[in-house]
Tab-separated table of all heavy atoms in Angstrom:
chain	number	residue	atom	x	y	z
A	14	HIS	N	104.497	97.753	95.277
A	14	HIS	CA	103.180	98.114	95.857
A	14	HIS	C	103.239	99.446	96.508
A	14	HIS	O	104.318	99.942	96.859
A	14	HIS	CB	102.713	97.072	96.865
A	14	HIS	CG	102.614	95.712	96.344
A	14	HIS	ND1	101.660	95.187	95.541
A	14	HIS	CD2	103.438	94.604	96.541
A	14	HIS	CE1	101.791	93.902	95.225
A	14	HIS	NE2	102.943	93.532	95.826
A	15	ASN	N	102.025	100.043	96.745
A	15	ASN	CA	101.988	101.157	97.660
A	15	ASN	C	101.860	100.572	99.097
A	15	ASN	O	100.868	99.927	99.466
A	15	ASN	CB	100.713	101.966	97.325
A	15	ASN	CG	100.557	103.224	98.279
A	15	ASN	OD1	100.757	103.152	99.463
A	15	ASN	ND2	100.233	104.368	97.569
A	16	PHE	N	102.845	100.879	99.910
A	16	PHE	CA	102.945	100.232	101.190
A	16	PHE	C	102.567	101.245	102.324
A	16	PHE	O	103.007	101.121	103.479
A	16	PHE	CB	104.319	99.700	101.523
A	16	PHE	CG	104.635	98.382	100.857
A	16	PHE	CD1	105.297	98.301	99.681
A	16	PHE	CD2	104.253	97.218	101.481
A	16	PHE	CE1	105.603	97.144	99.062
A	16	PHE	CE2	104.466	95.951	100.906
A	16	PHE	CZ	105.181	95.930	99.710
A	17	LYS	N	101.689	102.189	101.999
A	17	LYS	CA	101.321	103.223	102.967
A	17	LYS	C	100.753	102.577	104.230
A	17	LYS	O	100.924	103.056	105.351
A	17	LYS	CB	100.409	104.240	102.373
A	17	LYS	CG	100.080	105.435	103.301
A	17	LYS	CD	99.173	106.435	102.576
A	17	LYS	CE	98.935	107.630	103.402
A	17	LYS	NZ	98.007	108.691	102.767
A	18	ALA	N	99.922	101.519	104.068
A	18	ALA	CA	99.379	100.761	105.205
A	18	ALA	C	100.388	100.247	106.210
A	18	ALA	O	100.045	99.896	107.302
A	18	ALA	CB	98.391	99.696	104.738
A	19	PHE	N	101.609	100.074	105.608
A	19	PHE	CA	102.638	99.323	106.440
A	19	PHE	C	103.653	100.389	106.942
A	19	PHE	O	104.807	100.139	107.247
A	19	PHE	CB	103.363	98.354	105.493
A	19	PHE	CG	102.445	97.187	105.303
A	19	PHE	CD1	101.531	97.315	104.212
A	19	PHE	CD2	102.485	96.034	105.940
A	19	PHE	CE1	100.637	96.230	103.887
A	19	PHE	CE2	101.674	94.917	105.653
A	19	PHE	CZ	100.746	95.067	104.611
A	20	MET	N	103.237	101.665	107.227
A	20	MET	CA	104.088	102.743	107.727
A	20	MET	C	103.374	103.307	108.943
A	20	MET	O	102.240	103.563	108.957
A	20	MET	CB	104.212	103.821	106.661
A	20	MET	CG	105.120	104.991	107.137
A	20	MET	SD	105.318	106.351	105.919
A	20	MET	CE	103.675	107.119	106.190
A	21	SER	N	104.219	103.405	110.013
A	21	SER	CA	103.648	103.991	111.242
A	21	SER	C	103.437	105.475	111.115
A	21	SER	O	104.043	106.120	110.297
A	21	SER	CB	104.665	103.699	112.402
A	21	SER	OG	104.705	102.395	112.762
A	22	ALA	N	102.582	105.951	111.916
A	22	ALA	CA	102.388	107.401	112.083
A	22	ALA	C	103.604	108.097	112.332
A	22	ALA	O	104.397	107.593	113.229
A	22	ALA	CB	101.303	107.727	113.084
A	23	GLY	N	103.976	109.225	111.784
A	23	GLY	CA	105.198	109.927	112.036
A	23	GLY	C	106.206	109.720	110.920
A	23	GLY	O	107.161	110.420	110.825
A	24	GLY	N	105.963	108.799	109.959
A	24	GLY	CA	106.782	108.610	108.857
A	24	GLY	C	106.728	109.881	107.964
A	24	GLY	O	105.689	110.414	107.708
A	25	GLN	N	107.902	110.222	107.419
A	25	GLN	CA	108.027	111.469	106.665
A	25	GLN	C	108.094	111.245	105.174
A	25	GLN	O	108.277	112.182	104.402
A	25	GLN	CB	109.233	112.271	107.194
A	25	GLN	CG	109.180	112.654	108.622
A	25	GLN	CD	110.356	113.383	109.115
A	25	GLN	OE1	111.377	113.507	108.416
A	25	GLN	NE2	110.345	113.895	110.394
A	26	SER	N	108.017	110.021	104.761
A	26	SER	CA	108.015	109.722	103.271
A	26	SER	C	106.953	110.389	102.527
A	26	SER	O	105.763	110.292	102.989
A	26	SER	CB	108.058	108.235	103.009
A	26	SER	OG	109.138	107.641	103.600
A	27	LYS	N	107.208	110.940	101.373
A	27	LYS	CA	106.149	111.642	100.586
A	27	LYS	C	105.644	110.631	99.486
A	27	LYS	O	104.612	110.833	98.873
A	27	LYS	CB	106.658	112.924	99.946
A	27	LYS	CG	106.934	113.990	101.011
A	27	LYS	CD	107.388	115.255	100.304
A	27	LYS	CE	107.445	116.334	101.277
A	27	LYS	NZ	108.433	116.189	102.338
A	28	THR	N	106.429	109.521	99.163
A	28	THR	CA	105.963	108.553	98.244
A	28	THR	C	105.919	107.216	98.992
A	28	THR	O	106.778	106.972	99.896
A	28	THR	CB	106.957	108.514	97.083
A	28	THR	OG1	108.204	108.190	97.520
A	28	THR	CG2	106.980	109.773	96.329
A	29	PHE	N	105.047	106.344	98.615
A	29	PHE	CA	104.863	105.107	99.420
A	29	PHE	C	105.059	103.863	98.564
A	29	PHE	O	104.880	102.755	99.130
A	29	PHE	CB	103.411	105.197	99.990
A	29	PHE	CG	103.110	106.440	100.720
A	29	PHE	CD1	102.273	107.402	100.189
A	29	PHE	CD2	103.681	106.702	101.925
A	29	PHE	CE1	102.045	108.549	100.823
A	29	PHE	CE2	103.436	107.859	102.667
A	29	PHE	CZ	102.609	108.872	102.059
A	30	GLU	N	105.384	104.000	97.361
A	30	GLU	CA	105.681	102.854	96.493
A	30	GLU	C	107.080	102.331	96.703
A	30	GLU	O	108.068	103.027	96.649
A	30	GLU	CB	105.472	103.206	95.026
A	30	GLU	CG	105.469	101.977	94.078
A	30	GLU	CD	105.102	102.357	92.651
A	30	GLU	OE1	103.960	102.450	92.392
A	30	GLU	OE2	106.073	102.595	91.890
A	31	ARG	N	107.126	101.013	97.090
A	31	ARG	CA	108.390	100.369	97.309
A	31	ARG	C	108.368	99.030	96.608
A	31	ARG	O	107.300	98.399	96.384
A	31	ARG	CB	108.776	100.200	98.786
A	31	ARG	CG	108.811	101.496	99.569
A	31	ARG	CD	110.011	102.264	99.224
A	31	ARG	NE	110.257	103.499	100.089
A	31	ARG	CZ	109.638	104.648	99.836
A	31	ARG	NH1	108.867	104.778	98.788
A	31	ARG	NH2	109.922	105.600	100.651
A	32	LYS	N	109.456	98.439	96.336
A	32	LYS	CA	109.620	97.087	95.710
A	32	LYS	C	110.192	96.101	96.705
A	32	LYS	O	111.297	96.254	97.213
A	32	LYS	CB	110.424	97.111	94.508
A	32	LYS	CG	110.482	95.786	93.734
A	32	LYS	CD	111.169	95.848	92.394
A	32	LYS	CE	111.143	94.573	91.619
A	32	LYS	NZ	111.871	94.653	90.320
A	33	ILE	N	109.442	95.002	96.976
A	33	ILE	CA	109.996	93.803	97.770
A	33	ILE	C	110.423	92.786	96.857
A	33	ILE	O	109.695	92.272	96.042
A	33	ILE	CB	108.844	93.334	98.725
A	33	ILE	CG1	108.487	94.373	99.701
A	33	ILE	CG2	109.381	92.084	99.446
A	33	ILE	CD1	109.486	94.873	100.682
A	34	PHE	N	111.750	92.455	96.920
A	34	PHE	CA	112.318	91.421	96.113
A	34	PHE	C	112.050	90.048	96.565
A	34	PHE	O	111.752	89.067	95.850
A	34	PHE	CB	113.796	91.659	95.910
A	34	PHE	CG	114.127	92.913	95.237
A	34	PHE	CD1	114.565	93.982	95.978
A	34	PHE	CD2	114.031	93.069	93.771
A	34	PHE	CE1	114.977	95.167	95.314
A	34	PHE	CE2	114.379	94.225	93.233
A	34	PHE	CZ	114.800	95.273	93.894
A	35	ALA	N	112.127	89.832	97.916
A	35	ALA	CA	111.975	88.553	98.517
A	35	ALA	C	111.637	88.730	100.019
A	35	ALA	O	112.112	89.633	100.641
A	35	ALA	CB	113.192	87.734	98.293
A	36	ILE	N	110.807	87.701	100.532
A	36	ILE	CA	110.623	87.592	101.935
A	36	ILE	C	110.768	86.064	102.157
A	36	ILE	O	110.048	85.233	101.675
A	36	ILE	CB	109.189	88.028	102.383
A	36	ILE	CG1	109.002	89.491	101.986
A	36	ILE	CG2	108.979	87.730	103.878
A	36	ILE	CD1	107.577	90.034	102.440
A	37	LYS	N	111.837	85.743	103.015
A	37	LYS	CA	112.180	84.335	103.231
A	37	LYS	C	111.884	84.022	104.689
A	37	LYS	O	112.418	84.744	105.668
A	37	LYS	CB	113.595	84.013	102.858
A	37	LYS	CG	113.854	84.248	101.371
A	37	LYS	CD	115.285	83.953	101.039
A	37	LYS	CE	115.556	84.142	99.569
A	37	LYS	NZ	116.993	83.963	99.209
A	38	ILE	N	111.096	83.007	105.010
A	38	ILE	CA	110.872	82.616	106.379
A	38	ILE	C	111.412	81.226	106.601
A	38	ILE	O	111.126	80.295	105.859
A	38	ILE	CB	109.300	82.543	106.631
A	38	ILE	CG1	108.632	83.880	106.281
A	38	ILE	CG2	108.990	82.161	108.107
A	38	ILE	CD1	107.132	83.863	106.167
A	39	LYS	N	112.296	81.110	107.569
A	39	LYS	CA	112.947	79.915	107.853
A	39	LYS	C	112.869	79.527	109.324
A	39	LYS	O	112.897	80.382	110.244
A	39	LYS	CB	114.454	79.919	107.441
A	39	LYS	CG	114.626	80.197	105.900
A	39	LYS	CD	116.190	80.174	105.556
A	39	LYS	CE	116.384	80.427	104.105
A	39	LYS	NZ	117.807	80.557	103.755
A	40	GLN	N	112.794	78.289	109.647
A	40	GLN	CA	112.784	77.810	111.081
A	40	GLN	C	113.799	76.694	111.228
A	40	GLN	O	113.847	75.763	110.419
A	40	GLN	CB	111.452	77.336	111.489
A	40	GLN	CG	111.438	76.804	112.939
A	40	GLN	CD	110.020	76.787	113.519
A	40	GLN	OE1	108.996	76.911	112.780
A	40	GLN	NE2	109.902	76.624	114.834
A	41	LYS	N	114.626	76.784	112.295
A	41	LYS	CA	115.553	75.698	112.650
A	41	LYS	C	115.433	75.562	114.188
A	41	LYS	O	115.779	76.328	114.895
A	41	LYS	CB	117.020	76.107	112.296
A	41	LYS	CG	118.003	75.016	112.588
A	41	LYS	CD	119.368	75.386	112.143
A	41	LYS	CE	120.362	74.252	112.353
A	41	LYS	NZ	121.733	74.664	111.864
A	42	GLY	N	114.834	74.367	114.555
A	42	GLY	CA	114.560	74.162	115.990
A	42	GLY	C	113.524	75.130	116.428
A	42	GLY	O	112.474	75.381	115.867
A	43	LYS	N	113.879	75.864	117.625
A	43	LYS	CA	112.930	76.867	118.038
A	43	LYS	C	113.016	78.223	117.412
A	43	LYS	O	112.223	79.131	117.583
A	43	LYS	CB	113.259	77.075	119.596
A	43	LYS	CG	112.920	75.900	120.439
A	43	LYS	CD	113.135	76.174	121.918
A	43	LYS	CE	112.788	74.966	122.785
A	43	LYS	NZ	113.014	75.206	124.150
A	44	ASP	N	114.118	78.455	116.513
A	44	ASP	CA	114.353	79.683	116.046
A	44	ASP	C	113.832	79.903	114.587
A	44	ASP	O	113.900	79.024	113.797
A	44	ASP	CB	115.943	79.951	115.961
A	44	ASP	CG	116.618	79.861	117.327
A	44	ASP	OD1	116.065	80.475	118.260
A	44	ASP	OD2	117.666	79.200	117.459
A	45	ILE	N	113.241	81.113	114.450
A	45	ILE	CA	112.583	81.488	113.227
A	45	ILE	C	113.250	82.777	112.782
A	45	ILE	O	113.467	83.741	113.517
A	45	ILE	CB	111.096	81.745	113.309
A	45	ILE	CG1	110.396	80.472	113.752
A	45	ILE	CG2	110.542	82.234	112.037
A	45	ILE	CD1	108.933	80.654	114.095
A	46	THR	N	113.613	82.878	111.475
A	46	THR	CA	114.140	84.139	110.928
A	46	THR	C	113.289	84.546	109.766
A	46	THR	O	112.790	83.682	108.966
A	46	THR	CB	115.623	83.995	110.450
A	46	THR	OG1	115.697	82.887	109.479
A	46	THR	CG2	116.549	83.740	111.551
A	47	ILE	N	113.015	85.802	109.611
A	47	ILE	CA	112.198	86.416	108.498
A	47	ILE	C	113.160	87.414	107.846
A	47	ILE	O	113.498	88.484	108.503
A	47	ILE	CB	110.959	87.018	108.978
A	47	ILE	CG1	110.115	85.981	109.649
A	47	ILE	CG2	110.227	87.639	107.808
A	47	ILE	CD1	108.783	86.547	110.212
A	48	ASP	N	113.522	87.130	106.600
A	48	ASP	CA	114.455	88.044	105.814
A	48	ASP	C	113.604	88.794	104.815
A	48	ASP	O	112.910	88.164	104.099
A	48	ASP	CB	115.557	87.303	105.149
A	48	ASP	CG	116.691	86.947	106.152
A	48	ASP	OD1	116.567	87.066	107.272
A	48	ASP	OD2	117.723	86.405	105.601
A	49	VAL	N	113.676	90.157	104.917
A	49	VAL	CA	112.905	90.946	103.904
A	49	VAL	C	113.909	91.771	103.111
A	49	VAL	O	114.711	92.540	103.709
A	49	VAL	CB	111.949	91.860	104.666
A	49	VAL	CG1	111.008	92.741	103.644
A	49	VAL	CG2	111.078	91.110	105.640
A	50	THR	N	113.897	91.557	101.785
A	50	THR	CA	114.803	92.250	100.875
A	50	THR	C	113.935	93.199	100.052
A	50	THR	O	112.961	92.763	99.410
A	50	THR	CB	115.532	91.343	99.976
A	50	THR	OG1	116.333	90.384	100.844
A	50	THR	CG2	116.501	92.085	99.079
A	51	GLY	N	114.318	94.424	100.036
A	51	GLY	CA	113.604	95.424	99.164
A	51	GLY	C	114.429	96.554	98.688
A	51	GLY	O	115.613	96.680	99.081
């Protein structure tokens, strides 16, 4: 996708297309982890 909306002001990238392979959300007890692979 074009992820320009997900970049903070000040980013210097000239292209905004990136590929996200996986986003995994897991919870164990009180702890949550979010793994983003791209």
Side-chain angles (χ1 to χ4, degrees):
H14 303 283
N15 183 313
F16 281 98
K17 188 176 181 180
F19 294 81
M20 182 181 76
S21 289
Q25 299 177 354
S26 298
K27 293 182 172 62
T28 61
F29 309 104
E30 190 173 276
R31 299 292 187 273
K32 184 174 183 179
I33 297 295
F34 297 102
I36 301 178
K37 298 179 181 179
I38 306 169
K39 297 180 181 179
Q40 181 164 9
K41 184 176 182 181
K43 295 183 177 182
D44 297 316
I45 299 172
T46 58
I47 301 175
D48 282 10
V49 183
T50 301

